[in-house]
Amino acid sequence: MAFLNKIVSNAHTFGRLMDVVDKAPQWRKQLLAKKNELRGGAFRDAAMGMCALVAAADGSIEPNERMRVAGLIGTEPALSNFSADELRQLFEDNCNRLVADAAFGRAHVLQQIAKVAGKSTEAEAVVQIGILIGNADGDFDQAEVAAVREACRALRVDPRQFGL
């Protein structure tokens, strides 16, 4: 019976994740609509912290993954209020911290993310960016979901609001 419960639970989780993935285009539109509200340094830092957290979700950050995420950061319209070079530099700094010392790097990145806790528009946008980055390769896996949920806790945002 436990085996059957596990299969049903996994199927339900998979279905919820597919709902999250299906909403990605809708979230991108929402981010673009809020773009003018997403100008501050705290949002920029939180968004780059989220990108690094998701990139490192599986315990490592491969060079090709870094390049892919850095490319996405530079072309994401919702982040166009900021210099692409500045965003990439912040992302790389966060990644380097995570690689050099996983525990302290994670604490730093979560601190960056928490800069927008209590600011609902910015906090929601950071979570949406995390989901978009996690799904960029077409596989929003359990480790990435867990990373976004952890960020939701730092942001004091209910992950169920995003189907997580």
Side-chain angles (χ1 to χ4, degrees), residues 31 34 37-38 42-44 46-47 50 112-131 148 151-159 161-162 164:
L31 284 169
K34 298 175 191 174
E37 299 173 55
L38 306 173
F43 169 72
R44 177 202 61 213
M50 176 64 92
Q112 297 300 303
I113 292 169
K115 286 182 176 183
V116 296
K119 301 174 183 175
S120 63
T121 299
E122 294 177 350
E124 290 172 8
V126 168
V127 174
Q128 290 170 334
I129 287 170
I131 293 169
V148 175
C152 285
R153 284 190 297 276
L155 292 165
R156 299 186 307 268
V157 173
D158 185 352
Q161 175 182 342
F162 302 93
L164 303 174

PDB file of all heavy atoms in Angstrom, residues 31 34 37-38 42-44 46-47 50 112-131 148 151-159 161-162 164:
ATOM      1  N   LEU A  31       5.370  39.744 -15.115  1.00  0.00           N
ATOM      2  CA  LEU A  31       6.641  40.401 -14.803  1.00  0.00           C
ATOM      3  C   LEU A  31       6.844  41.632 -15.685  1.00  0.00           C
ATOM      4  O   LEU A  31       7.275  42.675 -15.207  1.00  0.00           O
ATOM      5  CB  LEU A  31       7.815  39.428 -14.982  1.00  0.00           C
ATOM      6  CG  LEU A  31       7.994  38.387 -13.893  1.00  0.00           C
ATOM      7  CD1 LEU A  31       9.004  37.332 -14.325  1.00  0.00           C
ATOM      8  CD2 LEU A  31       8.434  39.038 -12.598  1.00  0.00           C
ATOM      9  N   LYS A  34       4.843  44.529 -14.549  1.00  0.00           N
ATOM     10  CA  LYS A  34       5.333  45.129 -13.304  1.00  0.00           C
ATOM     11  C   LYS A  34       6.735  45.716 -13.457  1.00  0.00           C
ATOM     12  O   LYS A  34       7.293  46.231 -12.491  1.00  0.00           O
ATOM     13  CB  LYS A  34       5.398  44.068 -12.199  1.00  0.00           C
ATOM     14  CG  LYS A  34       4.095  43.452 -11.840  1.00  0.00           C
ATOM     15  CD  LYS A  34       4.346  42.348 -10.823  1.00  0.00           C
ATOM     16  CE  LYS A  34       3.140  41.491 -10.598  1.00  0.00           C
ATOM     17  NZ  LYS A  34       3.425  40.352  -9.730  1.00  0.00           N
ATOM     18  N   GLU A  37       7.921  48.777 -11.719  1.00  0.00           N
ATOM     19  CA  GLU A  37       7.965  48.716 -10.257  1.00  0.00           C
ATOM     20  C   GLU A  37       9.185  47.944  -9.757  1.00  0.00           C
ATOM     21  O   GLU A  37       9.473  47.956  -8.568  1.00  0.00           O
ATOM     22  CB  GLU A  37       6.700  48.035  -9.731  1.00  0.00           C
ATOM     23  CG  GLU A  37       5.416  48.757 -10.089  1.00  0.00           C
ATOM     24  CD  GLU A  37       4.202  47.945  -9.693  1.00  0.00           C
ATOM     25  OE1 GLU A  37       4.110  47.575  -8.508  1.00  0.00           O
ATOM     26  OE2 GLU A  37       3.361  47.680 -10.575  1.00  0.00           O
ATOM     27  N   LEU A  38       9.876  47.286 -10.666  1.00  0.00           N
ATOM     28  CA  LEU A  38      10.993  46.410 -10.304  1.00  0.00           C
ATOM     29  C   LEU A  38      12.319  47.073 -10.675  1.00  0.00           C
ATOM     30  O   LEU A  38      13.061  46.591 -11.517  1.00  0.00           O
ATOM     31  CB  LEU A  38      10.837  45.051 -11.009  1.00  0.00           C
ATOM     32  CG  LEU A  38       9.509  44.338 -10.789  1.00  0.00           C
ATOM     33  CD1 LEU A  38       9.414  43.099 -11.661  1.00  0.00           C
ATOM     34  CD2 LEU A  38       9.322  44.001  -9.318  1.00  0.00           C
ATOM     35  N   ALA A  42      17.451  46.349  -4.167  1.00  0.00           N
ATOM     36  CA  ALA A  42      17.068  45.180  -3.369  1.00  0.00           C
ATOM     37  C   ALA A  42      16.448  44.112  -4.268  1.00  0.00           C
ATOM     38  O   ALA A  42      16.752  42.921  -4.134  1.00  0.00           O
ATOM     39  CB  ALA A  42      16.097  45.584  -2.262  1.00  0.00           C
ATOM     40  N   PHE A  43      15.598  44.539  -5.200  1.00  0.00           N
ATOM     41  CA  PHE A  43      15.007  43.575  -6.139  1.00  0.00           C
ATOM     42  C   PHE A  43      16.085  42.939  -7.007  1.00  0.00           C
ATOM     43  O   PHE A  43      16.099  41.728  -7.205  1.00  0.00           O
ATOM     44  CB  PHE A  43      13.942  44.236  -7.022  1.00  0.00           C
ATOM     45  CG  PHE A  43      13.514  43.348  -8.159  1.00  0.00           C
ATOM     46  CD1 PHE A  43      12.726  42.235  -7.920  1.00  0.00           C
ATOM     47  CD2 PHE A  43      13.938  43.600  -9.450  1.00  0.00           C
ATOM     48  CE1 PHE A  43      12.364  41.386  -8.958  1.00  0.00           C
ATOM     49  CE2 PHE A  43      13.577  42.764 -10.490  1.00  0.00           C
ATOM     50  CZ  PHE A  43      12.791  41.655 -10.245  1.00  0.00           C
ATOM     51  N   ARG A  44      16.982  43.764  -7.532  1.00  0.00           N
ATOM     52  CA  ARG A  44      18.072  43.263  -8.377  1.00  0.00           C
ATOM     53  C   ARG A  44      18.879  42.206  -7.628  1.00  0.00           C
ATOM     54  O   ARG A  44      19.121  41.109  -8.142  1.00  0.00           O
ATOM     55  CB  ARG A  44      18.975  44.438  -8.771  1.00  0.00           C
ATOM     56  CG  ARG A  44      20.187  44.054  -9.595  1.00  0.00           C
ATOM     57  CD  ARG A  44      21.268  45.103  -9.498  1.00  0.00           C
ATOM     58  NE  ARG A  44      21.691  45.233  -8.103  1.00  0.00           N
ATOM     59  CZ  ARG A  44      22.095  46.367  -7.544  1.00  0.00           C
ATOM     60  NH1 ARG A  44      22.120  47.488  -8.235  1.00  0.00           N
ATOM     61  NH2 ARG A  44      22.474  46.389  -6.273  1.00  0.00           N
ATOM     62  N   ALA A  46      18.009  40.450  -4.953  1.00  0.00           N
ATOM     63  CA  ALA A  46      17.190  39.280  -4.643  1.00  0.00           C
ATOM     64  C   ALA A  46      17.007  38.393  -5.875  1.00  0.00           C
ATOM     65  O   ALA A  46      17.094  37.159  -5.779  1.00  0.00           O
ATOM     66  CB  ALA A  46      15.836  39.726  -4.098  1.00  0.00           C
ATOM     67  N   ALA A  47      16.781  39.004  -7.017  1.00  0.00           N
ATOM     68  CA  ALA A  47      16.587  38.235  -8.252  1.00  0.00           C
ATOM     69  C   ALA A  47      17.861  37.462  -8.617  1.00  0.00           C
ATOM     70  O   ALA A  47      17.791  36.286  -8.996  1.00  0.00           O
ATOM     71  CB  ALA A  47      16.176  39.163  -9.385  1.00  0.00           C
ATOM     72  N   MET A  50      18.261  34.576  -6.270  1.00  0.00           N
ATOM     73  CA  MET A  50      17.361  33.493  -6.662  1.00  0.00           C
ATOM     74  C   MET A  50      17.921  32.712  -7.836  1.00  0.00           C
ATOM     75  O   MET A  50      17.899  31.479  -7.851  1.00  0.00           O
ATOM     76  CB  MET A  50      15.979  34.053  -7.013  1.00  0.00           C
ATOM     77  CG  MET A  50      15.006  33.005  -7.526  1.00  0.00           C
ATOM     78  SD  MET A  50      14.589  31.727  -6.324  1.00  0.00           S
ATOM     79  CE  MET A  50      13.142  32.481  -5.603  1.00  0.00           C
ATOM     80  N   GLN A 112      20.346  37.770   0.472  1.00  0.00           N
ATOM     81  CA  GLN A 112      20.092  38.642  -0.680  1.00  0.00           C
ATOM     82  C   GLN A 112      18.620  38.550  -1.089  1.00  0.00           C
ATOM     83  O   GLN A 112      17.975  39.568  -1.351  1.00  0.00           O
ATOM     84  CB  GLN A 112      20.989  38.256  -1.867  1.00  0.00           C
ATOM     85  CG  GLN A 112      22.474  38.425  -1.623  1.00  0.00           C
ATOM     86  CD  GLN A 112      22.826  39.856  -1.309  1.00  0.00           C
ATOM     87  OE1 GLN A 112      22.551  40.761  -2.080  1.00  0.00           O
ATOM     88  NE2 GLN A 112      23.407  40.074  -0.147  1.00  0.00           N
ATOM     89  N   ILE A 113      18.106  37.333  -1.133  1.00  0.00           N
ATOM     90  CA  ILE A 113      16.707  37.115  -1.510  1.00  0.00           C
ATOM     91  C   ILE A 113      15.776  37.796  -0.506  1.00  0.00           C
ATOM     92  O   ILE A 113      14.794  38.439  -0.896  1.00  0.00           O
ATOM     93  CB  ILE A 113      16.416  35.600  -1.618  1.00  0.00           C
ATOM     94  CG1 ILE A 113      17.183  35.016  -2.814  1.00  0.00           C
ATOM     95  CG2 ILE A 113      14.915  35.336  -1.730  1.00  0.00           C
ATOM     96  CD1 ILE A 113      17.195  33.506  -2.874  1.00  0.00           C
ATOM     97  N   ALA A 114      16.101  37.680   0.767  1.00  0.00           N
ATOM     98  CA  ALA A 114      15.250  38.226   1.831  1.00  0.00           C
ATOM     99  C   ALA A 114      15.188  39.754   1.828  1.00  0.00           C
ATOM    100  O   ALA A 114      14.349  40.327   2.519  1.00  0.00           O
ATOM    101  CB  ALA A 114      15.723  37.720   3.188  1.00  0.00           C
ATOM    102  N   LYS A 115      16.014  40.403   1.031  1.00  0.00           N
ATOM    103  CA  LYS A 115      15.984  41.867   0.969  1.00  0.00           C
ATOM    104  C   LYS A 115      14.623  42.400   0.539  1.00  0.00           C
ATOM    105  O   LYS A 115      14.291  43.541   0.834  1.00  0.00           O
ATOM    106  CB  LYS A 115      17.058  42.400   0.006  1.00  0.00           C
ATOM    107  CG  LYS A 115      18.461  42.334   0.534  1.00  0.00           C
ATOM    108  CD  LYS A 115      19.424  42.931  -0.479  1.00  0.00           C
ATOM    109  CE  LYS A 115      20.845  42.964   0.044  1.00  0.00           C
ATOM    110  NZ  LYS A 115      21.757  43.609  -0.936  1.00  0.00           N
ATOM    111  N   VAL A 116      13.838  41.576  -0.172  1.00  0.00           N
ATOM    112  CA  VAL A 116      12.531  42.042  -0.626  1.00  0.00           C
ATOM    113  C   VAL A 116      11.381  41.383   0.143  1.00  0.00           C
ATOM    114  O   VAL A 116      10.216  41.506  -0.258  1.00  0.00           O
ATOM    115  CB  VAL A 116      12.342  41.881  -2.154  1.00  0.00           C
ATOM    116  CG1 VAL A 116      13.336  42.752  -2.902  1.00  0.00           C
ATOM    117  CG2 VAL A 116      12.441  40.433  -2.579  1.00  0.00           C
ATOM    118  N   ALA A 117      11.702  40.706   1.237  1.00  0.00           N
ATOM    119  CA  ALA A 117      10.643  40.118   2.069  1.00  0.00           C
ATOM    120  C   ALA A 117       9.739  41.242   2.563  1.00  0.00           C
ATOM    121  O   ALA A 117      10.214  42.302   2.961  1.00  0.00           O
ATOM    122  CB  ALA A 117      11.246  39.361   3.248  1.00  0.00           C
ATOM    123  N   GLY A 118       8.452  41.022   2.485  1.00  0.00           N
ATOM    124  CA  GLY A 118       7.501  42.042   2.919  1.00  0.00           C
ATOM    125  C   GLY A 118       7.110  43.015   1.814  1.00  0.00           C
ATOM    126  O   GLY A 118       6.227  43.839   2.001  1.00  0.00           O
ATOM    127  N   LYS A 119       7.775  42.941   0.693  1.00  0.00           N
ATOM    128  CA  LYS A 119       7.427  43.778  -0.469  1.00  0.00           C
ATOM    129  C   LYS A 119       6.792  42.842  -1.492  1.00  0.00           C
ATOM    130  O   LYS A 119       7.492  42.230  -2.292  1.00  0.00           O
ATOM    131  CB  LYS A 119       8.679  44.439  -1.050  1.00  0.00           C
ATOM    132  CG  LYS A 119       9.413  45.325  -0.059  1.00  0.00           C
ATOM    133  CD  LYS A 119      10.715  45.829  -0.653  1.00  0.00           C
ATOM    134  CE  LYS A 119      11.487  46.649   0.368  1.00  0.00           C
ATOM    135  NZ  LYS A 119      12.805  47.043  -0.147  1.00  0.00           N
ATOM    136  N   SER A 120       5.475  42.728  -1.434  1.00  0.00           N
ATOM    137  CA  SER A 120       4.787  41.660  -2.169  1.00  0.00           C
ATOM    138  C   SER A 120       5.070  41.652  -3.673  1.00  0.00           C
ATOM    139  O   SER A 120       5.326  40.591  -4.236  1.00  0.00           O
ATOM    140  CB  SER A 120       3.287  41.689  -1.896  1.00  0.00           C
ATOM    141  OG  SER A 120       2.720  42.887  -2.362  1.00  0.00           O
ATOM    142  N   THR A 121       5.051  42.792  -4.325  1.00  0.00           N
ATOM    143  CA  THR A 121       5.277  42.819  -5.774  1.00  0.00           C
ATOM    144  C   THR A 121       6.662  42.293  -6.111  1.00  0.00           C
ATOM    145  O   THR A 121       6.824  41.447  -7.001  1.00  0.00           O
ATOM    146  CB  THR A 121       5.109  44.253  -6.322  1.00  0.00           C
ATOM    147  OG1 THR A 121       3.762  44.671  -6.061  1.00  0.00           O
ATOM    148  CG2 THR A 121       5.384  44.315  -7.810  1.00  0.00           C
ATOM    149  N   GLU A 122       7.667  42.764  -5.392  1.00  0.00           N
ATOM    150  CA  GLU A 122       9.038  42.344  -5.655  1.00  0.00           C
ATOM    151  C   GLU A 122       9.260  40.888  -5.251  1.00  0.00           C
ATOM    152  O   GLU A 122       9.911  40.130  -5.975  1.00  0.00           O
ATOM    153  CB  GLU A 122      10.017  43.268  -4.946  1.00  0.00           C
ATOM    154  CG  GLU A 122       9.997  44.677  -5.508  1.00  0.00           C
ATOM    155  CD  GLU A 122      10.913  45.629  -4.765  1.00  0.00           C
ATOM    156  OE1 GLU A 122      11.440  45.270  -3.698  1.00  0.00           O
ATOM    157  OE2 GLU A 122      11.101  46.751  -5.262  1.00  0.00           O
ATOM    158  N   ALA A 123       8.721  40.486  -4.112  1.00  0.00           N
ATOM    159  CA  ALA A 123       8.890  39.107  -3.643  1.00  0.00           C
ATOM    160  C   ALA A 123       8.263  38.119  -4.632  1.00  0.00           C
ATOM    161  O   ALA A 123       8.881  37.106  -4.984  1.00  0.00           O
ATOM    162  CB  ALA A 123       8.286  38.935  -2.254  1.00  0.00           C
ATOM    163  N   GLU A 124       7.054  38.423  -5.090  1.00  0.00           N
ATOM    164  CA  GLU A 124       6.397  37.548  -6.062  1.00  0.00           C
ATOM    165  C   GLU A 124       7.185  37.489  -7.364  1.00  0.00           C
ATOM    166  O   GLU A 124       7.319  36.429  -7.970  1.00  0.00           O
ATOM    167  CB  GLU A 124       4.970  38.025  -6.321  1.00  0.00           C
ATOM    168  CG  GLU A 124       4.050  37.797  -5.141  1.00  0.00           C
ATOM    169  CD  GLU A 124       2.683  38.438  -5.318  1.00  0.00           C
ATOM    170  OE1 GLU A 124       2.375  38.941  -6.427  1.00  0.00           O
ATOM    171  OE2 GLU A 124       1.918  38.436  -4.333  1.00  0.00           O
ATOM    172  N   ALA A 125       7.722  38.616  -7.789  1.00  0.00           N
ATOM    173  CA  ALA A 125       8.510  38.649  -9.020  1.00  0.00           C
ATOM    174  C   ALA A 125       9.776  37.806  -8.880  1.00  0.00           C
ATOM    175  O   ALA A 125      10.164  37.101  -9.808  1.00  0.00           O
ATOM    176  CB  ALA A 125       8.860  40.093  -9.384  1.00  0.00           C
ATOM    177  N   VAL A 126      10.404  37.848  -7.718  1.00  0.00           N
ATOM    178  CA  VAL A 126      11.616  37.043  -7.489  1.00  0.00           C
ATOM    179  C   VAL A 126      11.275  35.556  -7.573  1.00  0.00           C
ATOM    180  O   VAL A 126      12.011  34.780  -8.187  1.00  0.00           O
ATOM    181  CB  VAL A 126      12.266  37.404  -6.128  1.00  0.00           C
ATOM    182  CG1 VAL A 126      13.328  36.394  -5.734  1.00  0.00           C
ATOM    183  CG2 VAL A 126      12.872  38.803  -6.199  1.00  0.00           C
ATOM    184  N   VAL A 127      10.161  35.153  -6.986  1.00  0.00           N
ATOM    185  CA  VAL A 127       9.749  33.746  -7.060  1.00  0.00           C
ATOM    186  C   VAL A 127       9.458  33.364  -8.509  1.00  0.00           C
ATOM    187  O   VAL A 127       9.893  32.304  -8.976  1.00  0.00           O
ATOM    188  CB  VAL A 127       8.523  33.469  -6.161  1.00  0.00           C
ATOM    189  CG1 VAL A 127       8.009  32.047  -6.360  1.00  0.00           C
ATOM    190  CG2 VAL A 127       8.869  33.710  -4.695  1.00  0.00           C
ATOM    191  N   GLN A 128       8.757  34.209  -9.227  1.00  0.00           N
ATOM    192  CA  GLN A 128       8.454  33.924 -10.628  1.00  0.00           C
ATOM    193  C   GLN A 128       9.729  33.800 -11.456  1.00  0.00           C
ATOM    194  O   GLN A 128       9.839  32.920 -12.309  1.00  0.00           O
ATOM    195  CB  GLN A 128       7.525  34.996 -11.202  1.00  0.00           C
ATOM    196  CG  GLN A 128       6.130  34.921 -10.617  1.00  0.00           C
ATOM    197  CD  GLN A 128       5.262  36.106 -10.979  1.00  0.00           C
ATOM    198  OE1 GLN A 128       5.743  37.200 -11.254  1.00  0.00           O
ATOM    199  NE2 GLN A 128       3.955  35.890 -10.977  1.00  0.00           N
ATOM    200  N   ILE A 129      10.700  34.652 -11.203  1.00  0.00           N
ATOM    201  CA  ILE A 129      11.981  34.554 -11.910  1.00  0.00           C
ATOM    202  C   ILE A 129      12.654  33.227 -11.588  1.00  0.00           C
ATOM    203  O   ILE A 129      13.196  32.558 -12.467  1.00  0.00           O
ATOM    204  CB  ILE A 129      12.881  35.760 -11.577  1.00  0.00           C
ATOM    205  CG1 ILE A 129      12.336  37.004 -12.286  1.00  0.00           C
ATOM    206  CG2 ILE A 129      14.344  35.496 -11.963  1.00  0.00           C
ATOM    207  CD1 ILE A 129      12.982  38.308 -11.869  1.00  0.00           C
ATOM    208  N   GLY A 130      12.603  32.821 -10.323  1.00  0.00           N
ATOM    209  CA  GLY A 130      13.185  31.530  -9.944  1.00  0.00           C
ATOM    210  C   GLY A 130      12.549  30.374 -10.691  1.00  0.00           C
ATOM    211  O   GLY A 130      13.233  29.461 -11.158  1.00  0.00           O
ATOM    212  N   ILE A 131      11.237  30.412 -10.826  1.00  0.00           N
ATOM    213  CA  ILE A 131      10.526  29.355 -11.548  1.00  0.00           C
ATOM    214  C   ILE A 131      10.889  29.389 -13.034  1.00  0.00           C
ATOM    215  O   ILE A 131      11.142  28.349 -13.641  1.00  0.00           O
ATOM    216  CB  ILE A 131       9.008  29.480 -11.334  1.00  0.00           C
ATOM    217  CG1 ILE A 131       8.670  29.174  -9.864  1.00  0.00           C
ATOM    218  CG2 ILE A 131       8.243  28.543 -12.268  1.00  0.00           C
ATOM    219  CD1 ILE A 131       7.253  29.523  -9.462  1.00  0.00           C
ATOM    220  N   VAL A 148      13.315  26.915  -4.715  1.00  0.00           N
ATOM    221  CA  VAL A 148      12.344  28.013  -4.804  1.00  0.00           C
ATOM    222  C   VAL A 148      11.477  28.049  -3.550  1.00  0.00           C
ATOM    223  O   VAL A 148      11.174  29.121  -3.028  1.00  0.00           O
ATOM    224  CB  VAL A 148      11.497  27.916  -6.099  1.00  0.00           C
ATOM    225  CG1 VAL A 148      10.411  28.974  -6.121  1.00  0.00           C
ATOM    226  CG2 VAL A 148      12.389  28.060  -7.333  1.00  0.00           C
ATOM    227  N   ALA A 151      13.414  29.718  -0.868  1.00  0.00           N
ATOM    228  CA  ALA A 151      13.396  31.164  -1.092  1.00  0.00           C
ATOM    229  C   ALA A 151      12.049  31.752  -0.659  1.00  0.00           C
ATOM    230  O   ALA A 151      12.014  32.844  -0.086  1.00  0.00           O
ATOM    231  CB  ALA A 151      13.673  31.475  -2.562  1.00  0.00           C
ATOM    232  N   CYS A 152      10.973  31.028  -0.910  1.00  0.00           N
ATOM    233  CA  CYS A 152       9.645  31.495  -0.467  1.00  0.00           C
ATOM    234  C   CYS A 152       9.626  31.683   1.046  1.00  0.00           C
ATOM    235  O   CYS A 152       9.050  32.662   1.534  1.00  0.00           O
ATOM    236  CB  CYS A 152       8.560  30.509  -0.897  1.00  0.00           C
ATOM    237  SG  CYS A 152       8.147  30.567  -2.652  1.00  0.00           S
ATOM    238  N   ARG A 153      10.239  30.761   1.773  1.00  0.00           N
ATOM    239  CA  ARG A 153      10.301  30.911   3.231  1.00  0.00           C
ATOM    240  C   ARG A 153      11.061  32.176   3.609  1.00  0.00           C
ATOM    241  O   ARG A 153      10.638  32.927   4.494  1.00  0.00           O
ATOM    242  CB  ARG A 153      10.939  29.679   3.876  1.00  0.00           C
ATOM    243  CG  ARG A 153      10.011  28.481   3.938  1.00  0.00           C
ATOM    244  CD  ARG A 153      10.569  27.360   4.789  1.00  0.00           C
ATOM    245  NE  ARG A 153      11.802  26.788   4.273  1.00  0.00           N
ATOM    246  CZ  ARG A 153      11.874  25.845   3.343  1.00  0.00           C
ATOM    247  NH1 ARG A 153      10.775  25.364   2.798  1.00  0.00           N
ATOM    248  NH2 ARG A 153      13.040  25.376   2.954  1.00  0.00           N
ATOM    249  N   ALA A 154      12.174  32.438   2.932  1.00  0.00           N
ATOM    250  CA  ALA A 154      12.959  33.646   3.218  1.00  0.00           C
ATOM    251  C   ALA A 154      12.169  34.912   2.880  1.00  0.00           C
ATOM    252  O   ALA A 154      12.337  35.941   3.526  1.00  0.00           O
ATOM    253  CB  ALA A 154      14.274  33.620   2.432  1.00  0.00           C
ATOM    254  N   LEU A 155      11.312  34.798   1.884  1.00  0.00           N
ATOM    255  CA  LEU A 155      10.510  35.944   1.442  1.00  0.00           C
ATOM    256  C   LEU A 155       9.191  36.074   2.210  1.00  0.00           C
ATOM    257  O   LEU A 155       8.459  37.045   2.012  1.00  0.00           O
ATOM    258  CB  LEU A 155      10.199  35.818  -0.053  1.00  0.00           C
ATOM    259  CG  LEU A 155      11.390  35.966  -0.986  1.00  0.00           C
ATOM    260  CD1 LEU A 155      11.047  35.474  -2.380  1.00  0.00           C
ATOM    261  CD2 LEU A 155      11.851  37.415  -1.014  1.00  0.00           C
ATOM    262  N   ARG A 156       8.897  35.079   3.025  1.00  0.00           N
ATOM    263  CA  ARG A 156       7.622  35.021   3.753  1.00  0.00           C
ATOM    264  C   ARG A 156       6.432  35.031   2.777  1.00  0.00           C
ATOM    265  O   ARG A 156       5.461  35.758   2.949  1.00  0.00           O
ATOM    266  CB  ARG A 156       7.513  36.138   4.785  1.00  0.00           C
ATOM    267  CG  ARG A 156       8.585  36.071   5.850  1.00  0.00           C
ATOM    268  CD  ARG A 156       8.428  37.071   6.973  1.00  0.00           C
ATOM    269  NE  ARG A 156       8.286  38.462   6.604  1.00  0.00           N
ATOM    270  CZ  ARG A 156       9.296  39.324   6.483  1.00  0.00           C
ATOM    271  NH1 ARG A 156      10.528  38.934   6.717  1.00  0.00           N
ATOM    272  NH2 ARG A 156       9.074  40.583   6.158  1.00  0.00           N
ATOM    273  N   VAL A 157       6.574  34.200   1.745  1.00  0.00           N
ATOM    274  CA  VAL A 157       5.558  34.042   0.719  1.00  0.00           C
ATOM    275  C   VAL A 157       5.131  32.572   0.716  1.00  0.00           C
ATOM    276  O   VAL A 157       5.976  31.685   0.825  1.00  0.00           O
ATOM    277  CB  VAL A 157       6.124  34.426  -0.679  1.00  0.00           C
ATOM    278  CG1 VAL A 157       5.164  34.109  -1.785  1.00  0.00           C
ATOM    279  CG2 VAL A 157       6.520  35.885  -0.720  1.00  0.00           C
ATOM    280  N   ASP A 158       3.848  32.328   0.590  1.00  0.00           N
ATOM    281  CA  ASP A 158       3.328  30.962   0.560  1.00  0.00           C
ATOM    282  C   ASP A 158       3.635  30.335  -0.806  1.00  0.00           C
ATOM    283  O   ASP A 158       3.142  30.818  -1.835  1.00  0.00           O
ATOM    284  CB  ASP A 158       1.822  30.978   0.813  1.00  0.00           C
ATOM    285  CG  ASP A 158       1.222  29.590   0.926  1.00  0.00           C
ATOM    286  OD1 ASP A 158       1.920  28.581   0.662  1.00  0.00           O
ATOM    287  OD2 ASP A 158       0.036  29.508   1.270  1.00  0.00           O
ATOM    288  N   PRO A 159       4.425  29.261  -0.850  1.00  0.00           N
ATOM    289  CA  PRO A 159       4.761  28.632  -2.126  1.00  0.00           C
ATOM    290  C   PRO A 159       3.537  28.078  -2.867  1.00  0.00           C
ATOM    291  O   PRO A 159       3.551  27.964  -4.084  1.00  0.00           O
ATOM    292  CB  PRO A 159       5.743  27.522  -1.760  1.00  0.00           C
ATOM    293  CG  PRO A 159       5.628  27.338  -0.299  1.00  0.00           C
ATOM    294  CD  PRO A 159       5.068  28.588   0.279  1.00  0.00           C
ATOM    295  N   GLN A 161       0.932  29.563  -3.442  1.00  0.00           N
ATOM    296  CA  GLN A 161       0.458  30.639  -4.312  1.00  0.00           C
ATOM    297  C   GLN A 161       0.980  30.455  -5.735  1.00  0.00           C
ATOM    298  O   GLN A 161       0.382  30.933  -6.686  1.00  0.00           O
ATOM    299  CB  GLN A 161       0.933  31.968  -3.729  1.00  0.00           C
ATOM    300  CG  GLN A 161       0.659  33.195  -4.513  1.00  0.00           C
ATOM    301  CD  GLN A 161       1.229  34.441  -3.827  1.00  0.00           C
ATOM    302  OE1 GLN A 161       1.543  34.446  -2.649  1.00  0.00           O
ATOM    303  NE2 GLN A 161       1.362  35.494  -4.595  1.00  0.00           N
ATOM    304  N   PHE A 162       2.093  29.751  -5.862  1.00  0.00           N
ATOM    305  CA  PHE A 162       2.734  29.524  -7.150  1.00  0.00           C
ATOM    306  C   PHE A 162       2.601  28.075  -7.605  1.00  0.00           C
ATOM    307  O   PHE A 162       3.262  27.660  -8.549  1.00  0.00           O
ATOM    308  CB  PHE A 162       4.211  29.918  -7.073  1.00  0.00           C
ATOM    309  CG  PHE A 162       4.411  31.338  -6.664  1.00  0.00           C
ATOM    310  CD1 PHE A 162       4.595  31.672  -5.318  1.00  0.00           C
ATOM    311  CD2 PHE A 162       4.355  32.359  -7.592  1.00  0.00           C
ATOM    312  CE1 PHE A 162       4.747  32.985  -4.932  1.00  0.00           C
ATOM    313  CE2 PHE A 162       4.501  33.683  -7.206  1.00  0.00           C
ATOM    314  CZ  PHE A 162       4.699  33.994  -5.878  1.00  0.00           C
ATOM    315  N   LEU A 164       3.532  25.464  -5.842  1.00  0.00           N
ATOM    316  CA  LEU A 164       4.670  24.672  -5.361  1.00  0.00           C
ATOM    317  C   LEU A 164       4.349  23.979  -4.051  1.00  0.00           C
ATOM    318  O   LEU A 164       3.727  24.507  -3.201  1.00  0.00           O
ATOM    319  CB  LEU A 164       5.890  25.564  -5.158  1.00  0.00           C
ATOM    320  CG  LEU A 164       6.347  26.336  -6.387  1.00  0.00           C
ATOM    321  CD1 LEU A 164       7.466  27.293  -6.017  1.00  0.00           C
ATOM    322  CD2 LEU A 164       6.824  25.365  -7.467  1.00  0.00           C
TER     323      LEU A 164
END
